[in-house]
Amino acid sequence: FVVGLTTATQLQQVAPHVEVTLIADKFTAETLSNGAAGVFRPSSNNFRGPNHETASRWLRDSYDYYKEILDSPEAEAAGIKSLAVTVLSTEHEKIVKNAFLEGLLPDYRFMTSEELGQFQGGPYIYGCRFTTMLTDCSKFLPYLMAKFRDRGGKIIKQRVASFNELAPHFDVVVNCCGLVAGDMCGDSTITPIRGQVYKVKAPWITEGFYSDYDTYILPGPEYVTLGGCRQFDSYNTEIDVHDSKSIWERCLRLMPSLRDAQIMVHNYGHGGYGVTSAPGTAVAAVQLVLQSLPVTSKL
C-alpha cells in the first residue's frame, strides 16, 4: 500500500493538473505496510533493479525523499526519525557489508575489534555502524493520505480482479498491487516472502541492531519491532509459534534487557458495541497473547 500511496502523492505534486484516483481493497491500518519496521536499509543481496546503477538511483531518490521530510517541521507528524544502527555477525563479512549504503550514508563505517567485544551474544567478528532513517507507517500512511485528499485525490475502496475493469474509466493505470500482480500480470516470477515480528514496549532501546539469521531490533516512536524471518514462497499468514520462539531467543541473545519488555496486544475500536462484541474479540486477543508468549511461558 505504501508504494501505491507514495506514487499517487508524488504524481499529484509534479502534475497538479492531473486527477488522481486511489483504488484499493485495504487502506492504512488494514495493510501489511502499517506493521513494517520501516528502516532504510536495503539489502545488497535481495534488492534488485535492471542493473546496479538503476537500483542505486532508486535508493538515492528514496533517501532524498525521506531526508527532506526528516529535515522539515513535518518529520514527527510523518513518523520519520533518524536512527543509529549497528549490524553484527559471527558468521560472515557479507552479512554486515552493504554496497548500497556504503556509497549513500556519510557515516557508514566498519567497527573495530574493541567495539565488537562490547556486545553480548557474540563473539562478533564482523560489524558496521551507520545513521539512517526509520519510517513508522502507522503515522506515515495517514500523513500521506491527508496530503492526497488535500490535493483533491479521489478514493475508491474496491478489489480489482482485472485491469480491464479500469480501462474504460482511466487514461493511465499505475499497478502497485504487490503480490497480486503475479496473477493480474501473468508474472510467474512474483513470489511471497513471509515475515513475522513482535511489537514490544521497550523505551530504553534507542538504537537499531541487526545480526545473523535476519535478527533485528528496531525502535519506533511507540514500539520496538523484533524480528524476524524471511521465508520465500510461503503463503502462510498465521503466527507460527516456532518462528516466535526463534525470534524471541535470538533477540534476547542480542539484547538481554528485552526480558523486561512488555509485549503489546491491542483489543480496541469496538465503537458502540463493546458489550456485544467483547467475548468474541477477547477470544481473539487471548489467542494473540498465547501465540506471542515464549514457548516456556505457555507450559
Side-chain angles (χ1 to χ4, degrees), residues 17-85:
H17 61 285
V18 173
E19 186 178 281
V20 183
T21 302
L22 186 65
I23 305 175
D25 63 336
K26 295 179 181 179
F27 288 84
T28 55
E30 304 172 305
T31 66
L32 286 175
S33 299
N34 190 69
V39 70
F40 188 90
R41 182 184 174 256
S43 168
S44 297
N45 299 320
N46 296 316
F47 186 80
R48 289 286 186 272
N51 51 61
H52 181 78
E53 291 72 24
T54 300
S56 296
R57 185 176 70 250
W58 290 343
L59 293 172
R60 165 61 69 179
D61 289 344
S62 294
Y63 182 83
D64 291 344
Y65 172 88
Y66 289 119
K67 189 68 164 61
E68 182 177 355
I69 300 175
L70 177 66
D71 294 338
S72 77
E74 297 184 338
E76 184 175 353
I80 298 176
K81 71 171 190 175
S82 180
L83 183 69
V85 171

Side-chain angles (χ1 to χ4, degrees), residues 83-136:
L83 183 69
V85 171
T86 299
V87 185
L88 301 166
S89 177
T90 63
E91 301 287 334
H92 203 285
E93 186 181 17
K94 285 186 177 181
I95 293 173
V96 304
K97 284 182 68 66
N98 192 304
F100 289 126
L101 294 184
E102 286 181 51
L104 183 60
L105 303 181
D107 66 346
Y108 184 98
R109 68 176 181 84
F110 293 98
M111 299 170 66
T112 66
S113 57
E114 290 76 18
E115 289 176 307
L116 292 170
Q118 297 174 10
F119 291 92
Q120 302 182 49
Y124 293 108
I125 306 172
Y126 310 100
C128 71
R129 281 184 61 82
F130 52 86
T131 304
T132 186
M133 290 171 286
L134 185 140
T135 301
D136 177 9

Side-chain angles (χ1 to χ4, degrees):
F1 184 73
V2 68
V3 175
L5 183 54
T6 305
T7 304
T9 51
Q10 292 214 49
L11 178 57
Q12 289 177 314
Q13 186 172 356
V14 300
H17 61 285
V18 173
E19 186 178 281
V20 183
T21 302
L22 186 65
I23 305 175
D25 63 336
K26 295 179 181 179
F27 288 84
T28 55
E30 304 172 305
T31 66
L32 286 175
S33 299
N34 190 69
V39 70
F40 188 90
R41 182 184 174 256
S43 168
S44 297
N45 299 320
N46 296 316
F47 186 80
R48 289 286 186 272
N51 51 61
H52 181 78
E53 291 72 24
T54 300
S56 296
R57 185 176 70 250
W58 290 343
L59 293 172
R60 165 61 69 179
D61 289 344
S62 294
Y63 182 83
D64 291 344
Y65 172 88
Y66 289 119
K67 189 68 164 61
E68 182 177 355
I69 300 175
L70 177 66
D71 294 338
S72 77
E74 297 184 338
E76 184 175 353
I80 298 176
K81 71 171 190 175
S82 180
L83 183 69
V85 171
T86 299
V87 185
L88 301 166
S89 177
T90 63
E91 301 287 334
H92 203 285
E93 186 181 17
K94 285 186 177 181
I95 293 173
V96 304
K97 284 182 68 66
N98 192 304
F100 289 126
L101 294 184
E102 286 181 51
L104 183 60
L105 303 181
D107 66 346
Y108 184 98
R109 68 176 181 84
F110 293 98
M111 299 170 66
T112 66
S113 57
E114 290 76 18
E115 289 176 307
L116 292 170
Q118 297 174 10
F119 291 92
Q120 302 182 49
Y124 293 108
I125 306 172
Y126 310 100
C128 71
R129 281 184 61 82
F130 52 86
T131 304
T132 186
M133 290 171 286
L134 185 140
T135 301
D136 177 9
C137 276
S138 68
K139 290 186 176 182
F140 185 62
L141 296 180
Y143 164 83
L144 282 190
M145 284 293 286
K147 285 193 174 295
F148 181 74
R149 290 191 176 97
D150 290 344
R151 293 170 180 166
K154 297 183 178 180
I155 295 173
I156 298 175
K157 187 164 187 176
Q158 172 188 333
R159 184 174 183 83
V160 178
S162 167
F163 295 125
N164 292 331
E165 300 175 26
L166 307 177
H169 309 290
F170 300 96
D171 297 317
V172 178
V173 174
V174 181
N175 170 25
C176 302
C177 61
L179 184 61
V180 181
D183 296 325
M184 294 184 65
C185 302
D187 187 348
S188 60
T189 65
I190 299 292
T191 186
I193 304 175
R194 180 183 177 274
Q196 185 171 310
V197 298
Y198 279 92
K199 296 284 186 178
V200 303
K201 278 282 191 180
W204 58 90
I205 296 178
T206 58
E207 295 188 11
F209 295 91
Y210 284 87
S211 188
D212 303 307
Y213 312 114
D214 289 308
T215 304
Y216 53 86
I217 300 169
L218 297 170
E222 296 185 45
Y223 308 118
V224 178
T225 302
L226 310 181
C229 57
R230 192 189 305 263
Q231 299 165 358
F232 285 79
D233 205 28
S234 172
Y235 289 83
N236 178 20
T237 59
E238 301 300 319
I239 295 174
D240 184 279
V241 294
H242 302 292
D243 288 333
S244 296
K245 183 175 185 293
S246 173
I247 292 167
W248 188 252
E249 290 179 348
R250 284 184 277 123
C251 287
L252 280 183
R253 238 181 348 258
L254 182 59
M255 187 67 59
S257 67
L258 284 169
R259 291 188 185 278
D260 299 322
Q262 180 183 7
I263 299 173
M264 306 304 295
V265 172
H266 297 288
N267 184 11
Y268 63 86
H270 300 72
Y273 305 101
V275 174
T276 300
S277 61
T281 58
V283 170
V286 167
Q287 288 301 311
L288 287 173
V289 170
L290 294 177
Q291 291 166 353
S292 298
L293 290 173
V295 171
T296 54
S297 300
K298 299 176 186 178
L299 300 179

